[in-house]
Amino acid sequence: MRARLAEAGLRATRQRLVILESLLHLPGHPTAEQVHRRVVGQEPSLSLGTVYKALDSFVAAGLTRRVASTEGSCRRYDADCSAHHHLFCTDTQEIIDFHDPQLDTLIQEFFAVRGLQGFQAQSFSLHITGNKLAGDEPRK
Amino acid sequence: MRARLAEAGLRATRQRLVILESLLHLPGHPTAEQVHRRVVGQEPSLSLGTVYKALDSFVAAGLTRRVASTEGSCRRYDADCSAHHHLFCTDTQEIIDFHDPQLDTLIQEFFAVRGLQGFQAQSFSLHITGNKLAGDEPRK
DNA sequence: GTGATTGCAAAATCTTTGCAGGGAC
DNA sequence: GTCCCTGCAAAGATTTTGCAATCAC
């Protein structure tokens, strides 16, 4: 934890440690508000403003990403910076991670052959919209 | 224009006609604010609140979509409801439409074979992050 | 010690709401 | 005529900012 922050060139404050830890444990790509709610349990004086600043610094340092979402009215964060895709559940508003190296390869090969005129692609992320089926957990 | 609104079950007010027309003509998936700026040229008394209400009603009626974006602080709208993908330019923040039926087929076939445990997929949209190359327009 | 980080409160953004008057059908 | 829609202004929600005190290194 402490090492991750050091690698990213960020000072390991008590607050950042708790925030990063919370972000890693909260499911479904939390908002700043959700991170704050979890974090005040351990650090009651930790302010929401600090959560915003810490999350911004994580994103700037490449420790964390912002997740694209269609609800727009609040930002969501993802501690997983590896290449992956997202399942958007229209019922619960959850955003579920979906890793599939075979799919990554398929997409990369497609664009290697076909190319994009006038655009240099850096990364791909597939947004799959649908809904969770009762009783069965989507694979992570 | 008027017919589109009627089909969607919405009353064709002067304001909605101008808003829908603007949305179709503005490039790069505008925000409510951007739509409003264009629209006041034709209808100076048209308020920003009305733009929000109209865009919401378009989305509810399936005439328009909200675009997922990672900047979170404002909503962006897309008048194109057909299946398509998006190029996200990290330099200009533009979101460019990208249609490719072959890619659609590729993705659909991939999931037809493999399936998603516990999730019923309805639609797919690929987010391609990268940057525009100087002097060359990405295909739309 | 030095410079980055925190906490707080105020401000800035973006979006929604309530309601009276007006307009589409 | 009826009910939906608009305009306005106020409220709500989310995010940013400024600055003095504090903490990591």
Side-chain angles (χ1 to χ4, degrees), chain A residues 66-75 85 87-90 96 98 100 102-103 106-107 110-111 114-133 136-139, chain B residues 66-75 85 87-90 96 98 100 102-103 106-107 110-111 114-133 136-139:
Chain A
R66 282 217 275 261
V67 177
S69 102
T70 168
E71 295 139 63
S73 292
C74 59
R75 294 190 172 168
H85 310 282
L87 303 174
F88 289 76
C89 180
T90 50
I96 300 157
F98 174 67
D100 191 323
Q102 237 181 293
L103 178 59
L106 187 75
I107 293 169
F110 179 83
F111 285 106
R114 159 168 292 266
L116 283 163
Q117 291 132 301
F119 198 83
Q120 176 64 52
Q122 275 159 16
S123 65
F124 302 99
S125 175
L126 187 62
H127 286 218
I128 304 161
T129 305
N131 48 272
K132 285 193 355 188
L133 298 173
D136 205 1
E137 273 304 294
R139 65 167 153 158
Chain B
R66 282 217 274 263
V67 177
S69 105
T70 168
E71 296 139 63
S73 291
C74 59
R75 294 191 172 167
H85 311 282
L87 303 174
F88 289 76
C89 180
T90 50
I96 301 155
F98 173 67
D100 191 324
Q102 236 181 293
L103 177 60
L106 188 74
I107 293 169
F110 179 84
F111 286 106
R114 162 169 289 267
L116 283 163
Q117 292 132 301
F119 199 83
Q120 175 64 51
Q122 274 160 16
S123 65
F124 302 97
S125 175
L126 187 63
H127 286 219
I128 304 162
T129 305
N131 48 275
K132 285 194 352 189
L133 297 173
D136 204 2
E137 273 305 294
R139 62 168 155 161

Side-chain angles (χ1 to χ4, degrees), chain B residues 22 48 80 86 124 126:
Chain B
S22 289
L48 181 58
D80 181 354
H86 287 128
F124 302 97
L126 187 63

